[in-house]
Amino acid sequence: WLQTIPGGKSKVKAFPVIQGKVTWIDQDNGENRTANRFEALGKAYNASPTSNLEYYSMPQPMLDLSKTGHVVDLISITSGSKLVVIDNLATVSGGRDENSSEMMLIMGNLRLLAERTGAAIIIIHHSRKETGYKGKQGDNLRGFSGIRGSIDTGLYINREPSSDSITVIAEKARDMSIPSFGALFT
């Protein structure tokens, strides 16, 4: 993970990963943007059209993790995946108030997805708006505190305006230590 594009040069050692099928669920960017991004990714890495990557953009009906039937369908669709990415938490929460304990149903269903599929689940969630308030680590996460409490790992990704570099900070890491690191868009 975070390896350089073939032919590129980097002084940073890539993170080793177990390769396997990846399923990406996009309910945020739309079909055109998502297709363009995956096409560019495939070209950059000379990926085969038969790569172990499948994505669903703006599925109909929209994925709603507050509905048991949707969770059961998602478990079936992602069976065999090693990684499932869902973009984003607000769009799959069935209109539940992210600032209330209603989110525990969604978080519990995400845990069920991980347990039943054995896949790593990445759920993209947005940080709270900048208010100048600098609280304790983990306060960047938007919504009910139970969201943070129910995750195994929380990574905060920061990109300064007009910058090609990002910083990744582990705001929560259960059972492991994750040092901060950075990456550069090229």
Side-chain angles (χ1 to χ4, degrees):
W1 180 52
L2 292 179
Q3 71 182 31
T4 59
I5 292 175
K9 296 180 181 177
S10 174
K11 295 179 182 177
V12 178
K13 183 177 178 183
F15 293 89
V17 297
I18 298 170
Q19 294 191 7
K21 179 181 166 190
V22 175
T23 303
W24 190 288
I25 313 280
D26 161 50
Q27 283 194 185
D28 191 35
N29 292 300
E31 291 182 42
N32 290 337
R33 182 174 288 125
T34 301
N36 288 342
R37 288 178 176 178
F38 280 111
E39 181 180 1
L41 181 69
K43 283 181 182 177
Y45 286 95
N46 297 318
S48 162
T50 59
S51 293
N52 264 343
L53 170 69
E54 63 184 9
Y55 71 89
Y56 302 89
S57 186
M58 310 304 281
Q60 293 300 316
M62 297 291 271
L63 177 61
D64 179 350
L65 292 179
S66 70
K67 294 182 179 175
T68 303
H70 285 219
V71 177
V72 170
D73 289 345
L74 186 58
I75 289 168
S76 175
I77 288 168
T78 59
S79 177
S81 293
K82 297 296 181 193
L83 176 67
V84 177
V85 180
I86 300 173
D87 189 4
N88 69 42
L89 183 59
T91 64
V92 297
S93 61
R96 305 287 180 172
D97 181 0
E98 72 177 11
N99 294 303
S100 77
S101 61
E102 292 180 338
M103 289 303 294
M104 294 316 296
L105 171 64
I106 285 77
M107 301 311 293
N109 282 335
L110 285 166
R111 175 66 63 194
L112 180 65
L113 175 65
E115 294 293 322
R116 294 283 168 89
T117 63
I121 310 298
I122 295 177
I123 184 87
I124 297 172
H125 186 49
H126 298 282
S127 60
R128 58 179 81 244
K129 292 183 177 167
E130 287 293 326
T131 62
Y133 168 74
K134 298 292 182 194
K136 66 180 190 286
Q137 189 173 4
D139 282 347
N140 292 330
L141 190 62
R142 212 170 70 185
F144 176 63
S145 62
I147 295 172
R148 183 176 188 274
S150 64
I151 62 175
D152 291 331
T153 303
L155 300 175
Y156 176 70
I157 302 170
N158 185 45
R159 179 178 176 195
E160 295 298 325
S162 302
S163 174
D164 287 337
S165 64
I166 62 169
T167 304
V168 180
I169 301 165
E171 293 205 331
K172 179 178 180 181
R174 201 182 271 176
D175 302 327
M176 68 187 89
S177 176
I178 301 173
S180 296
F181 61 93
L184 184 65
F185 289 100
T186 57

